Every structure is written in C-alpha cells, then in structure tokens.
Coordinates of all heavy atoms in Angstrom, one line a residue:
L1 N 112.2 92.3 73.7 CA 111.5 91.8 72.5 C 110.1 91.2 72.9 O 109.2 91.4 72.1 CB 112.4 90.8 71.8 CG 113.6 91.4 71.2 CD1 114.5 90.3 70.6 CD2 113.3 92.4 70.1
E2 N 110.1 90.6 74.0 CA 108.8 90.1 74.5 C 107.7 91.2 74.7 O 106.6 91.1 74.2 CB 108.9 89.2 75.7 CG 109.7 87.9 75.5 CD 109.9 87.2 76.9 OE1 109.5 87.7 77.9 OE2 110.4 86.1 76.8
K3 N 108.2 92.2 75.3 CA 107.2 93.4 75.6 C 107.0 94.1 74.2 O 105.9 94.6 74.0 CB 107.8 94.3 76.6 CG 106.8 95.5 76.9 CD 107.4 96.4 78.0 CE 106.3 97.4 78.4 NZ 106.0 98.3 77.3
A4 N 108.0 94.2 73.4 CA 107.9 94.9 72.1 C 106.8 94.2 71.3 O 106.0 94.9 70.6 CB 109.2 95.0 71.4
R5 N 106.7 92.9 71.3 CA 105.8 92.2 70.5 C 104.3 92.6 71.0 O 103.4 92.8 70.2 CB 106.0 90.7 70.6 CG 105.0 89.9 69.8 CD 105.3 88.4 69.9 NE 106.5 88.0 69.1 CZ 107.6 87.8 69.6 NH1 107.8 87.8 70.9 NH2 108.7 87.4 68.8
A6 N 104.1 92.6 72.3 CA 102.8 93.0 72.8 C 102.5 94.4 72.5 O 101.3 94.8 72.2 CB 102.8 92.8 74.3
D7 N 103.5 95.3 72.6 CA 103.3 96.7 72.2 C 102.9 96.9 70.8 O 102.0 97.8 70.4 CB 104.5 97.6 72.6 CG 104.8 97.6 74.1 OD1 103.8 97.5 74.8 OD2 106.0 97.8 74.4
I8 N 103.5 96.2 69.9 CA 103.2 96.3 68.5 C 101.8 95.8 68.2 O 101.0 96.5 67.5 CB 104.2 95.5 67.6 CG1 105.6 96.2 67.7 CG2 103.8 95.4 66.2 CD1 106.7 95.3 67.1
T9 N 101.4 94.8 68.8 CA 100.0 94.3 68.7 C 99.0 95.3 69.2 O 97.9 95.5 68.6 CB 99.9 92.9 69.4 OG1 100.8 92.0 68.9 CG2 98.5 92.4 69.3
K10 N 99.3 95.9 70.3 CA 98.5 96.9 70.9 C 98.3 98.1 70.0 O 97.2 98.6 69.8 CB 99.0 97.3 72.3 CG 98.2 98.5 72.9 CD 98.9 98.9 74.2 CE 98.2 100.1 74.8 NZ 98.8 100.5 76.1
H11 N 99.4 98.7 69.5 CA 99.3 99.9 68.7 C 99.0 99.7 67.2 O 98.5 100.7 66.6 CB 100.6 100.7 68.9 CG 100.9 101.3 70.2 ND1 101.6 100.6 71.2 CD2 100.4 102.4 70.8 CE1 101.6 101.4 72.3 NE2 100.9 102.4 72.1
I12 N 99.3 98.6 66.7 CA 99.0 98.3 65.3 C 98.2 97.0 65.2 O 98.7 95.9 64.8 CB 100.3 98.2 64.4 CG1 101.3 99.3 64.7 CG2 100.0 98.2 63.0 CD1 102.6 99.3 64.0
P13 N 96.9 97.0 65.6 CA 96.2 95.8 65.7 C 95.8 95.2 64.3 O 95.5 94.0 64.2 CB 94.9 96.2 66.5 CG 94.8 97.7 66.2 CD 96.2 98.2 66.1
E14 N 95.7 96.1 63.3 CA 95.3 95.6 62.0 C 96.4 95.4 61.0 O 97.5 96.1 61.1 CB 94.3 96.6 61.4 CG 93.0 96.7 62.1 CD 92.0 97.6 61.4 OE1 92.3 98.1 60.3 OE2 90.9 97.8 62.0
L15 N 96.2 94.4 60.1 CA 97.3 94.1 59.1 C 97.1 94.9 57.9 O 96.7 94.4 56.8 CB 97.2 92.6 58.8 CG 97.5 91.7 60.0 CD1 97.3 90.2 59.6 CD2 98.9 91.9 60.6
S16 N 97.2 96.2 58.0 CA 97.0 97.1 56.8 C 98.3 97.9 56.6 O 99.1 98.0 57.5 CB 95.8 98.0 57.1 OG 96.0 98.8 58.3
P17 N 98.5 98.5 55.4 CA 99.7 99.3 55.2 C 99.8 100.5 56.1 O 98.8 101.1 56.4 CB 99.6 99.6 53.7 CG 98.6 98.7 53.1 CD 97.6 98.4 54.2
G18 N 101.0 100.9 56.4 CA 101.2 102.1 57.1 C 102.7 102.3 57.4 O 103.6 101.7 56.8
L19 N 103.0 103.3 58.3 CA 104.4 103.7 58.5 C 104.6 103.6 60.1 O 103.8 104.1 60.9 CB 104.6 105.1 58.1 CG 106.0 105.6 58.0 CD1 106.9 104.8 57.0 CD2 106.0 107.1 57.5
A20 N 105.6 102.8 60.5 CA 106.0 102.7 61.9 C 107.3 103.4 62.1 O 108.3 103.0 61.5 CB 106.0 101.2 62.3
V21 N 107.3 104.4 63.0 CA 108.5 105.2 63.3 C 108.9 104.9 64.8 O 108.1 105.2 65.7 CB 108.2 106.6 63.1 CG1 109.4 107.5 63.4 CG2 107.7 106.9 61.7
I22 N 110.2 104.5 65.0 CA 110.7 104.3 66.3 C 111.6 105.5 66.7 O 112.5 105.8 65.9 CB 111.5 103.0 66.4 CG1 110.7 101.8 66.0 CG2 112.1 102.8 67.8 CD1 111.4 100.5 65.9
D23 N 111.2 106.2 67.7 CA 111.9 107.4 68.1 C 112.7 107.2 69.4 O 112.2 107.4 70.5 CB 110.9 108.6 68.3 CG 111.6 109.9 68.5 OD1 112.8 110.0 68.4 OD2 110.9 110.9 68.8
W24 N 114.0 106.8 69.2 CA 114.9 106.6 70.4 C 116.0 107.5 70.2 O 116.9 107.4 69.3 CB 115.4 105.1 70.4 CG 114.5 104.1 70.7 CD1 113.2 104.2 71.1 CD2 114.8 102.7 70.7 NE1 112.6 103.0 71.4 CE2 113.6 102.0 71.1 CE3 115.9 101.9 70.4 CZ2 113.5 100.6 71.2 CZ3 115.8 100.5 70.5 CH2 114.6 99.9 70.9
E25 N 116.0 108.6 71.0 CA 117.0 109.6 70.8 C 118.0 109.8 72.0 O 118.9 110.7 71.9 CB 116.3 111.0 70.6 CG 115.4 111.0 69.4 CD 114.7 112.4 69.3 OE1 115.4 113.4 69.3 OE2 113.5 112.4 69.0
E26 N 118.0 108.9 73.0 CA 118.9 109.1 74.1 C 120.3 108.8 73.8 O 121.2 109.4 74.2 CB 118.4 108.2 75.3 CG 117.4 108.8 76.2 CD 116.1 109.3 75.5 OE1 115.7 108.6 74.5 OE2 115.5 110.2 75.9
W27 N 120.5 107.7 73.0 CA 121.9 107.4 72.6 C 121.9 107.0 71.1 O 120.9 106.7 70.5 CB 122.5 106.3 73.4 CG 121.6 105.1 73.7 CD1 120.9 104.8 74.9 CD2 121.3 104.0 72.8 NE1 120.2 103.6 74.7 CE2 120.5 103.1 73.5 CE3 121.7 103.7 71.5 CZ2 120.0 101.9 72.9 CZ3 121.2 102.5 70.9 CH2 120.3 101.6 71.6
L28 N 123.1 107.1 70.5 CA 123.3 106.7 69.1 C 124.0 105.4 69.0 O 124.9 105.2 69.8 CB 124.0 107.9 68.4 CG 123.2 109.2 68.4 CD1 124.1 110.3 67.9 CD2 122.0 109.1 67.5
P29 N 123.8 104.6 68.0 CA 124.4 103.3 67.9 C 125.9 103.3 67.7 O 126.6 102.3 68.0 CB 123.7 102.6 66.8 CG 123.2 103.7 66.0 CD 122.9 104.8 66.9
L30 N 126.5 104.4 67.1 CA 127.9 104.5 66.9 C 128.5 105.2 68.1 O 128.1 106.3 68.4 CB 128.2 105.3 65.6 CG 127.9 104.5 64.3 CD1 128.2 105.4 63.1 CD2 128.6 103.2 64.2
F31 N 129.4 104.5 68.8 CA 129.9 105.0 70.1 C 130.5 106.4 70.0 O 130.2 107.3 70.8 CB 131.0 104.0 70.5 CG 131.5 104.2 71.9 CD1 130.8 103.8 73.0 CD2 132.8 104.8 72.1 CE1 131.2 104.0 74.3 CE2 133.2 105.0 73.4 CZ 132.5 104.6 74.5
D32 N 131.2 106.7 68.9 CA 131.9 108.0 68.8 C 130.9 109.1 68.5 O 131.3 110.3 68.5 CB 133.0 107.9 67.7 CG 134.1 107.0 68.1 OD1 134.3 106.8 69.3 OD2 134.8 106.5 67.1
R33 N 129.7 108.8 68.1 CA 128.7 109.8 67.8 C 128.0 110.4 69.1 O 127.3 111.4 69.0 CB 127.6 109.3 66.9 CG 127.9 109.3 65.4 CD 127.9 110.7 64.9 NE 128.0 110.8 63.5 CZ 128.5 111.9 62.9 NH1 128.9 112.9 63.6 NH2 128.6 111.9 61.5
N34 N 128.2 109.7 70.2 CA 127.6 110.1 71.4 C 128.5 111.2 72.1 O 129.3 111.0 72.9 CB 127.5 108.9 72.4 CG 126.4 108.0 71.9 OD1 125.2 108.2 72.1 ND2 126.8 106.9 71.3
L35 N 128.2 112.5 71.7 CA 129.0 113.6 72.1 C 128.0 114.6 72.9 O 126.8 114.3 73.0 CB 129.5 114.4 70.9 CG 130.4 113.6 69.9 CD1 130.7 114.4 68.6 CD2 131.6 113.1 70.6
D36 N 128.7 115.6 73.5 CA 127.9 116.6 74.3 C 127.2 115.9 75.4 O 127.8 115.1 76.1 CB 127.0 117.4 73.4 CG 127.8 118.2 72.3 OD1 128.9 118.6 72.6 OD2 127.3 118.2 71.2
A37 N 125.9 116.1 75.5 CA 125.1 115.4 76.6 C 125.2 113.9 76.5 O 125.2 113.2 77.5 CB 123.7 115.9 76.6
K38 N 125.2 113.4 75.3 CA 125.2 111.9 75.1 C 126.5 111.3 75.5 O 126.6 110.1 75.5 CB 124.9 111.6 73.6 CG 123.4 111.9 73.2 CD 123.2 111.5 71.8 CE 121.7 111.6 71.4 NZ 121.2 113.0 71.5
E39 N 127.6 112.1 75.7 CA 128.8 111.5 76.2 C 128.7 110.8 77.5 O 129.5 109.9 77.9 CB 129.9 112.6 76.3 CG 131.3 112.1 76.4 CD 132.4 113.2 76.3 OE1 132.0 114.3 76.0 OE2 133.5 112.8 76.4
F40 N 127.6 111.1 78.2 CA 127.3 110.4 79.5 C 127.3 108.9 79.2 O 127.7 108.1 80.1 CB 125.9 110.9 79.9 CG 125.4 110.3 81.2 CD1 125.9 110.8 82.4 CD2 124.6 109.2 81.2 CE1 125.4 110.2 83.6 CE2 124.1 108.7 82.4 CZ 124.5 109.1 83.6
Y41 N 126.8 108.4 78.1 CA 126.7 107.0 77.8 C 128.1 106.4 77.6 O 128.3 105.2 77.9 CB 125.7 106.8 76.6 CG 124.3 106.9 77.0 CD1 123.6 108.1 76.7 CD2 123.6 105.9 77.6 CE1 122.3 108.3 77.1 CE2 122.3 106.1 78.0 CZ 121.6 107.3 77.7 OH 120.3 107.5 78.1
R42 N 129.0 107.2 77.0 CA 130.3 106.7 76.9 C 131.0 106.5 78.2 O 131.7 105.5 78.5 CB 131.1 107.7 76.0 CG 130.6 107.8 74.6 CD 131.3 108.9 73.8 NE 132.7 108.7 73.6 CZ 133.4 109.6 72.9 NH1 132.9 110.7 72.4 NH2 134.7 109.3 72.8
N43 N 130.7 107.5 79.1 CA 131.3 107.3 80.5 C 130.7 106.1 81.2 O 131.4 105.4 81.9 CB 131.1 108.6 81.2 CG 131.8 109.8 80.7 OD1 132.9 109.6 80.1 ND2 131.3 111.0 80.8
L44 N 129.4 105.9 81.1 CA 128.8 104.8 81.7 C 129.4 103.5 81.2 O 129.7 102.5 81.9 CB 127.3 104.7 81.4 CG 126.4 105.7 82.2 CD1 124.9 105.6 81.7 CD2 126.4 105.4 83.6
S45 N 129.7 103.5 79.9 CA 130.3 102.3 79.3 C 131.7 102.1 79.7 O 132.2 100.9 80.0 CB 130.3 102.4 77.7 OG 129.0 102.5 77.2
F46 N 132.5 103.2 79.9 CA 133.9 103.0 80.4 C 133.9 102.4 81.8 O 134.6 101.5 82.1 CB 134.6 104.4 80.4 CG 134.8 105.0 79.1 CD1 134.7 106.4 78.9 CD2 135.2 104.2 78.0 CE1 135.0 106.9 77.7 CE2 135.5 104.8 76.8 CZ 135.4 106.1 76.6
N47 N 133.0 103.0 82.7 CA 132.9 102.5 84.1 C 132.5 101.1 84.1 O 133.0 100.3 84.9 CB 132.0 103.4 84.9 CG 132.5 104.8 85.0 OD1 133.7 105.0 85.0 ND2 131.6 105.8 85.3
Y48 N 131.6 100.7 83.3 CA 131.0 99.3 83.3 C 132.1 98.4 82.9 O 132.3 97.3 83.4 CB 129.9 99.3 82.3 CG 129.2 97.9 82.1 CD1 128.4 97.4 83.2 CD2 129.4 97.2 81.0 CE1 127.8 96.2 83.1 CE2 128.8 96.0 80.8 CZ 128.0 95.5 81.9 OH 127.4 94.2 81.7

C-alpha cells in the first residue's frame, strides 16, 4: 500500500475525472476459481 500510494500519485497526478483499471490476472480471489494453470496457486497454498 505504501508503494501503491506513490504509484497512484505518479500515474494520476491531477485531480480530474477518469477511469482507473487494475489488471491483475495471475490469480483469482476465490480459491476454487484458480483452475488450469492457476491451480499452481492452490498448490502453493497447500504447501504453505
């Protein structure tokens, strides 16, 4: 969150209307949705 605050200030310096899109596709927030290649994250979680 500390770095994210600096990144937001860098990329959106002005206080004007717009659209901010976060594109995180490596894993999905629902555990059971992580299938196929993303099942790797379930295995990491099991081992952890």
Side-chain angles (χ1 to χ4, degrees):
L1 294 174
E2 289 177 358
K3 185 176 184 298
R5 181 177 286 105
D7 291 334
I8 291 168
T9 300
K10 174 184 176 181
H11 289 96
I12 313 178
E14 294 187 4
L15 300 176
S16 57
L19 193 62
V21 180
I22 304 174
D23 186 6
W24 289 354
E25 300 182 46
E26 272 59 29
W27 44 259
L28 297 169
L30 292 179
F31 191 75
D32 294 337
R33 275 291 186 204
N34 290 283
L35 304 173
D36 301 322
K38 290 182 174 63
E39 192 168 358
F40 181 83
Y41 285 98
R42 296 170 64 178
N43 294 331
L44 284 175
S45 297
F46 292 143
N47 293 335
Y48 180 71

